[in-house]
Amino acid sequence: MFSLLDDPWIQIVDSDDELKLVGIRDIFTGEVKAVRLQGESPAQDYAVMRLLLAIFWRSHSDEARVMPGKTFNFADWFARTRKRLLSKGADKAVLEYLDKYSDRFELFDSTAPFMQVAGLHVKSGEAKHITTIVPESQSDYFSMRAGRARDTLTFAEAARWLVYVQAYDYSGIKSGAVGDTRVKGGRGYPIGTGWTGMTGGTLVMGGNLLDTLILNTVQESLTNPDDRPVWERVADGPDVRSSKGEKNEPQGPADLATWQSRRVLLHNDGDKVVGVVVCNGDKIPDAGANVLADPMTPYRYSSNKSKKNLDVYYPRPYDVERTMWRSLDSLVVAETDGGFSGKEKAPKRPGILSNLAQLSQQIEGLPSVLNVELFSVEYGPQSSSVATTYAARMSLPVVILMENSAYLRTEIRAMASATTNAAVALGRFAGNLLVAAGGDYEFKTAVTDRVLAELEPRFNDWLGSIADLPDDAAQAESEAAQAAVKQWQQTVRAVVDEHARTLLRGAGPKAFSGRVIVSGPDDTRGRFVSAATFYQLLHRSLNEALPATAAEKATQKQESQKEATE
């Protein structure tokens, strides 16, 4: 009735920059020159991309098998496969694999519908409204879907949102499926969000979709025989997967990329999807503790959960606010870098990034700057709703990911921290202007966020330029690296000062006249403050945050004083 292999349902942008709807096979035959996905939301695109990656990984897993006594040469396989994909624009291995499992990609199959459970029902027999799986439409207001469009989904739309729900569905009480031994009083009690929603989604973008697939492939995604996506496993029933003889723990990257966090059944009227049943599926054990097989997320160390002989890590979502500044460590830090103690160990960067850093020293033709896309979903209280979906892009030079680039990483991390400190100083300055004008102090978060947002694309460009530095830039005495650091600090100072002057112009005459403030009942003299006082204080803070510019400012001041006396 609707095959995800042959019927169009994935929204892509092709090489002519046109939006098209394609089936899975179309992407791998070479007939469609797919460049990237562009569905209803970035999170949905990431979920669908992980589905395609699971197909790609499993299609090529046989190529990782070698004769006894032999070793699989991943770098050689990677170079040969990427060259073939880029030259032919098609993938025969995937097409043969899809033929093998074609019956498992039917959206409305009577026994094993794709990512669903045949016959799934609740005691009352009711199905929920289709907005249950479309987060953007769950409110009657501020929705892109209205009227009849809110009441039905095309089969293509339903397929995309089905993949999204399995990846990202929020926690909370679900309908209690008949046959689920966990149901109490007709309810399925919370088991957590979908696996992908727990992670910081990381994707390295290639020149086209096939290139993106190979760039996000690590050796471990090919070599684990127990790692099977949902369509290779026994079809799920309403209960946990162990009831069908499957292990309840994730078995590898492909298993996690298609993790069935929910039991779902789409109801259709022959032309459109008109309702849906969504129940609890498979729970991620221990809230994701040491589920380390996903190569597309960073992991954070948990000092609270770790024990003497057991280090515990959790997947780390990216911060939806100030993403670049707060998430940089998770992307670039190597576990051997200094600055971390036994109580607070270094995070684990996404495996796909470490993989490309290693491959770049073994094979030719890899990009020197990685175009990285980041995805995160922020949930509401008790993770019972989707609050914010966030996506960002970064230019990440491969050189800073290499093992011998610890100095360069330290400097780049320091620049991100210094930028944040400078922006925070500007937020304090804005609050201090209120004091100078006779009001009460209030830190101006919006001012800090505004300047960080302005600096983010500039930092991204500066970060990308690191790839052009000489080979010795990774060494501590590198003049080129130090010059790059100074250049960035100058950029930050100029932007912050420009914002500060704008704030001064709007501060009003009272702020310039100033006032005397007292710190307490014992303060008999008080302290005189004005806009000028706080502007000087801001620049002292900038001197501390951006030391490479402090000496420059001092020199300029001396030259000005010398000119004035001549």
Side-chain angles (χ1 to χ4, degrees):
M1 185 175 179
F2 192 87
S3 167
L4 274 67
L5 301 185
D6 301 315
D7 291 307
W9 67 281
I10 301 175
Q11 290 189 158
I12 60 103
V13 174
D14 68 10
S15 56
D16 295 323
D17 205 29
E18 293 184 0
L19 191 65
K20 290 186 177 179
L21 206 59
V22 301
I24 293 176
R25 272 200 182 98
D26 294 329
I27 293 172
F28 297 99
T29 60
E31 295 178 8
V32 176
K33 307 299 181 183
V35 175
R36 65 182 187 276
L37 303 184
Q38 189 169 310
E40 282 81 357
S41 75
Q44 184 197 82
D45 290 341
Y46 183 64
V48 173
M49 177 57 78
R50 281 167 61 81
L51 164 66
L52 296 176
L53 278 164
I55 291 172
F56 183 81
W57 294 337
R58 293 299 294 161
S59 299
H60 290 279
S61 61
D62 286 346
E63 299 165 18
R65 297 177 183 175
V66 295
M67 298 292 291
K70 301 290 184 179
T71 302
F72 173 53
N73 189 326
F74 175 72
D76 180 63
W77 173 88
F78 188 100
R80 286 186 291 103
T81 303
R82 185 168 186 247
K83 182 178 179 180
R84 184 170 64 249
L85 292 176
L86 292 179
S87 62
K88 295 187 176 181
D91 195 329
K92 182 180 178 182
V94 172
L95 295 174
E96 291 176 351
Y97 175 84
L98 293 177
D99 286 340
K100 184 178 179 180
Y101 292 100
S102 60
D103 60 322
R104 295 298 301 272
F105 286 85
E106 293 289 337
L107 194 61
F108 301 108
D109 189 75
S110 59
T111 57
F114 182 77
M115 284 193 173
Q116 300 168 78
V117 174
L120 184 73
H121 65 283
V122 298
K123 190 173 182 180
S124 67
E126 70 170 339
K128 297 287 187 180
H129 195 275
I130 58 100
T131 54
T132 303
I133 62 171
V134 185
E136 281 82 353
S137 297
Q138 290 176 8
S139 171
D140 290 332
Y141 306 99
F142 307 110
S143 173
M144 295 177 65
R145 305 178 69 91
R148 292 184 178 181
R150 288 191 73 246
D151 297 325
T152 64
L153 289 172
T154 66
F155 293 163
E157 288 176 300
R160 294 193 296 272
W161 286 119
L162 172 64
V163 175
Y164 167 90
V165 161
Q166 294 291 10
Y168 285 106
D169 193 39
Y170 49 82
S171 189
I173 295 175
K174 304 295 179 181
S175 300
V178 173
D180 183 355
T181 56
R182 299 166 295 176
V183 170
K184 296 179 181 179
R187 294 182 171 187
Y189 286 88
I191 64 169
T193 70
W195 164 255
T196 307
M198 298 181 184
T199 71
T202 315
L203 188 69
V204 177
M205 300 298 293
N208 57 45
L209 207 54
L210 293 182
D211 195 28
T212 297
L213 292 172
I214 185 72
L215 290 176
N216 290 277
T217 297
V218 300
Q219 181 168 335
E220 292 75 13
S221 61
L222 303 177
T223 55
N224 183 354
D226 296 324
D227 180 27
R228 295 176 297 148
V230 58
W231 51 84
E232 287 190 32
R233 297 191 291 102
V234 176
D236 289 320
D239 211 344
V240 293
R241 58 196 245 168
S242 59
S243 67
K244 294 289 186 176
E246 301 282 351
K247 293 181 179 178
N248 284 331
E249 299 77 22
Q251 300 300 298
D255 193 4
L256 285 169
T258 61
W259 186 259
Q260 300 295 280
S261 62
R262 302 293 179 255
R263 299 292 184 258
V264 181
L265 185 63
L266 301 173
H267 286 215
N268 74 89
D269 64 1
D271 295 312
K272 294 184 181 298
V273 171
V274 296
V276 61
V277 178
V278 179
C279 307
N280 280 331
D282 297 310
K283 179 181 179 179
I284 292 291
D286 300 322
N290 283 351
V291 179
L292 302 175
D294 195 326
M296 303 177 74
T297 181
Y299 289 86
R300 63 174 179 85
Y301 175 76
S302 173
S303 57
N304 292 333
K305 296 293 184 179
S306 295
K307 301 176 182 178
K308 184 177 181 180
N309 297 315
L310 177 66
D311 290 341
V312 176
Y313 289 83
Y314 288 91
R316 184 195 187 284
Y318 294 116
D319 295 278
V320 297
E321 296 179 352
R322 305 180 189 177
T323 303
M324 179 177 291
W325 314 108
R326 291 175 173 172
S327 301
L328 188 64
D329 276 10
S330 300
L331 290 168
V332 304
V333 167
E335 294 179 62
T336 55
D337 287 352
F340 298 93
S341 65
K343 291 185 178 180
E344 192 56 47
K345 294 188 177 182
K348 294 178 182 290
R349 72 164 73 126
I352 54 174
L353 301 182
S354 295
N355 176 61
L356 291 173
Q358 183 176 352
L359 286 174
S360 68
Q361 300 176 73
Q362 299 173 281
I363 61 179
E364 296 181 351
L366 290 176
S368 60
V369 178
L370 304 179
N371 294 319
V372 180
E373 294 198 350
L374 310 178
F375 307 86
S376 267
V377 166
E378 184 179 60
Y379 296 93
Q382 285 80 52
S383 298
S384 59
S385 64
V386 172
T388 306
T389 299
Y390 189 83
R393 293 185 179 184
M394 287 187 68
S395 299
L396 208 55
V398 174
V399 64
I400 70 173
L401 301 172
M402 294 181 180
E403 186 176 353
N404 63 349
S405 296
Y407 162 72
L408 207 51
R409 280 193 293 275
T410 300
E411 288 298 307
I412 289 169
R413 291 168 55 207
M415 289 308 94
S417 178
T419 304
T420 301
N421 291 341
V424 168
L426 183 67
R428 287 199 300 266
F429 172 66
N432 282 331
L433 286 179
L434 298 177
V435 176
D440 295 326
Y441 175 81
E442 178 187 353
F443 178 76
K444 292 296 184 180
T445 304
V447 172
T448 294
D449 288 340
R450 190 181 306 123
V451 75
L452 285 175
E454 180 179 334
L455 285 167
E456 184 169 319
R458 299 192 190 190
F459 184 78
N460 204 32
D461 291 340
W462 176 80
L463 197 57
S465 72
I466 298 297
D468 299 325
L469 294 180
D471 292 340
D472 68 349
Q475 301 173 12
E477 65 273 14
S478 168
E479 292 183 3
Q482 292 171 8
V485 166
K486 183 176 181 179
Q487 178 192 18
W488 176 247
Q489 291 192 19
Q490 289 171 332
T491 298
V492 175
R493 185 152 199 153
V495 170
V496 171
D497 190 51
E498 181 182 353
H499 278 262
R501 290 175 180 272
T502 300
L503 291 168
L504 281 173
R505 287 193 291 271
K510 285 186 177 181
F512 283 94
S513 299
R515 58 184 287 217
V516 175
I517 59 174
V518 294
S519 58
D522 297 330
D523 185 0
T524 58
R525 299 183 60 183
R527 179 168 64 99
F528 178 79
V529 296
S530 67
T533 305
F534 291 125
Y535 185 61
Q536 291 174 351
L537 180 62
L538 168 64
H539 277 276
R540 285 200 292 272
S541 297
L542 294 180
N543 288 342
E544 184 178 344
L546 310 167
T549 67
E552 185 177 281
K553 286 290 180 182
T555 301
Q556 291 175 355
K557 184 176 181 180
Q558 290 173 0
E559 291 176 352
S560 298
Q561 291 173 343
K562 183 178 179 181
E563 290 175 1
T565 58
E566 290 178 352

